[in-house]
Amino acid sequence: MSVFLSVILKDLYRYTGGGGFWRAFFLYPGFKYMFYFRLIQTLQTKKWLYPILLLLKIKLMLMQRHYGIQIPVTVRIGEGFYIGHFGGIVINGAATIGKNVNISHDVTIGVSNRGSNKGVPIIGDEVYIAPGAKIIGRIVIGNNVAIGANAVVTKDIPDNACVAGVPAKTISMDGSLGYINRKI
């Protein structure tokens, strides 16, 4: 449980700068969602808590519908995850996301079912994903990357790149500098 508390406090820091758990819980739907998400991930290993776990999963399912955030508890997400704006967020259950990642509304991190990129993305640390971005297939997004609004990413992105467009192309090597606040 101490790992859970540590991760929640790091998520909280990204929203409020440290304090104000209840304020973040009631004012930031992204933080509230991630609280339940991380609690379920922690409790899944304790089979004797199955009735409580079932209720928490139902709560998370209702929150998915209410907030438009579809992040299955099978997704591996690093500490300091920040949902800037909720609504239309869909992440495949097999995806991997690093620490200090910002995600905006209408973002899809999805699977490709055929071709050379068959699989799901691996997203590095300190990545900024702007509204409407789509990241699809077995690709690797490097660390310190900024993905522009409505970009469609289907190829690997190197560290410190800033990409935009359809298909996404590198437009600078400034990365996510200035987009990721309160890094942990």
Side-chain angles (χ1 to χ4, degrees):
M1 201 61 138
S2 65
V3 172
F4 164 75
L5 187 57
S6 171
V7 173
I8 283 298
L9 290 175
K10 290 175 182 174
D11 287 349
L12 177 64
Y13 181 76
R14 293 292 316 283
Y15 283 88
T16 65
F21 173 83
W22 292 112
R23 182 174 62 110
F25 189 81
F26 289 113
L27 292 181
Y28 299 111
F31 177 76
K32 186 176 189 176
Y33 185 90
M34 289 309 296
F35 175 83
Y36 284 105
F37 172 90
R38 295 197 190 278
L39 184 60
I40 290 169
Q41 280 188 330
T42 302
L43 296 179
Q44 281 187 119
T45 59
K46 298 169 179 37
K47 298 297 180 196
W48 56 277
L49 289 173
Y50 183 76
I52 293 170
L53 190 59
L54 183 61
L55 291 174
L56 289 171
K57 285 183 177 183
I58 291 170
K59 173 70 173 170
L60 193 67
M61 184 183 70
L62 293 172
M63 288 175 63
Q64 285 178 349
R65 291 175 185 248
H66 183 72
Y67 295 132
I69 300 172
Q70 186 179 340
I71 306 174
V73 293
T74 55
V75 178
R76 288 173 289 178
I77 299 177
E79 56 203 22
F81 189 68
Y82 180 84
I83 299 173
H85 304 281
F86 63 92
I89 297 172
V90 179
I91 300 177
N92 183 280
T96 302
I97 299 173
K99 67 178 186 174
N100 289 330
V101 171
N102 283 29
I103 192 168
S104 301
H105 65 284
D106 291 333
V107 168
T108 299
I109 299 173
V111 65
S112 176
N113 289 322
R114 63 182 190 177
S116 61
N117 281 352
K118 183 177 180 179
V120 295
I122 297 172
I123 297 173
D125 298 338
E126 297 178 4
V127 174
Y128 172 77
I129 306 171
K134 310 298 180 235
I135 305 168
I136 301 172
R138 189 188 68 208
I139 59 175
V140 176
I141 307 298
N143 298 324
N144 266 345
V145 169
I147 299 172
N150 297 315
V152 177
V153 183
T154 58
K155 295 188 172 144
D156 291 350
I157 305 296
D159 291 352
N160 303 311
C162 182
V163 299
V166 179
K169 292 181 175 51
T170 301
I171 59 172
S172 79
M173 294 306 286
D174 294 334
S176 62
L177 183 66
Y179 289 106
I180 308 292
N181 293 329
R182 298 188 190 111
K183 296 178 190 178
I184 50 163

